[in-house]
């Protein structure tokens, strides 16, 4: 679990910046997610850009509550589900804290990945069907829609 320069396309990483939090796996609706933390001393604070084996990684806050999920396909980032903070798009569209908003990823021309934060949206019906139960199991306080 790591960032761009540690990623090995064929599998794994040259060095790991995150560790799974114990054996903590959240599972629902046929989808499993792992709770991960950055390795002590690492300067990274969010979730890893690339996954190792999981389709979903979860992040905890200082209180131990799960506050974010990152979705991966073929080890690459697809989107983040955030609900611990309010968010406002450039166009003024607002998302209140506690309600899941989605921020997609795109690959830049140099091959690196960036989260598109100025075009957040609510979960689609398909995302709610696949990941909704998983998010509610990870944090029962999270609302899937306003």
């Amino acid at each position: 679990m790591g960032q761009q320069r540690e990623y090995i396309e064929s599998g794994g990483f040259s060095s790991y910046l995150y560790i799974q939090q114990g054996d903590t796996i959240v599972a629902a609706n046929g989808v499993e997610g792992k709770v991960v933390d950055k390795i002590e001393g690492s300067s990274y604070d969010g979730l890893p850009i690339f996954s190792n084996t999981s389709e979903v990684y979860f992040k905890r806050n200082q209180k131990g509550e799960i506050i974010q999920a990152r979705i991966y396909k073929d080890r690459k980032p697809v989107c983040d589900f955030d609900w611990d903070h309010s968010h406002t798009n450039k166009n003024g569209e607002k998302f209140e804290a506690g309600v899941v908003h989605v921020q997609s990823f795109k690959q830049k021309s140099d091959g690196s990945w960036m989260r598109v934060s100025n075009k957040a949206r609510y979960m689609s019906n398909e995302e709610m069907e696949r990941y909704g139960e998983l998010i509610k199991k990870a944090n029962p306080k999270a609302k899937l829609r306003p």
Side-chain angles (χ1 to χ4, degrees):
M1 297 169 272
Q3 301 299 349
Q4 185 92 20
R5 68 175 173 247
E6 288 84 22
Y7 178 73
I8 299 172
E9 184 79 33
S10 61
F13 297 88
S14 61
S15 65
Y16 287 78
L17 304 173
Y18 298 84
I19 56 170
Q20 183 176 341
Q21 184 65 26
D23 291 330
T24 308
I25 294 178
V26 180
N29 199 26
V31 181
E32 290 186 349
K34 296 178 181 178
V35 179
V36 298
D37 286 321
K38 67 180 182 168
I39 291 176
E40 193 65 37
S42 170
S43 61
Y44 297 101
D45 192 33
L47 287 166
I49 291 295
F50 296 100
S51 75
N52 194 24
T53 58
S54 188
E55 177 183 349
V56 181
Y57 286 148
F58 290 106
K59 177 184 173 182
R60 293 183 191 260
N61 64 13
Q62 299 283 357
K63 298 177 190 174
E65 301 167 320
I66 294 176
I67 59 166
Q68 181 184 27
R70 182 162 292 164
I71 308 302
Y72 301 88
K73 182 172 171 75
D74 299 327
R75 301 182 61 209
K76 296 176 177 89
V78 173
C79 66
D80 281 352
F81 297 135
D82 293 318
W83 57 87
D84 73 314
H85 61 276
S86 61
H87 179 87
T88 305
N89 285 340
K90 257 186 182 174
N91 66 3
E93 183 178 15
K94 295 182 183 214
F95 302 86
E96 65 182 78
V99 180
V100 176
H101 63 275
V102 183
Q103 296 176 70
S104 298
F105 280 83
K106 76 174 196 175
Q107 192 169 22
K108 299 192 308 189
S109 59
D110 67 1
S112 65
W113 291 84
M114 67 174 271
R115 187 167 72 171
V116 183
S117 293
N118 62 350
K119 294 182 180 177
R121 59 177 174 78
Y122 289 113
M123 294 178 80
S124 68
N125 290 338
E126 294 80 16
E127 289 166 335
M128 286 177 62
E129 186 175 320
R130 179 149 178 87
Y131 302 108
E133 190 177 331
L134 185 73
I135 289 170
K136 293 298 282 179
K137 191 168 184 182
N139 186 328
K141 296 179 197 172
K143 295 179 192 173
L144 301 181
R145 293 251 173 94

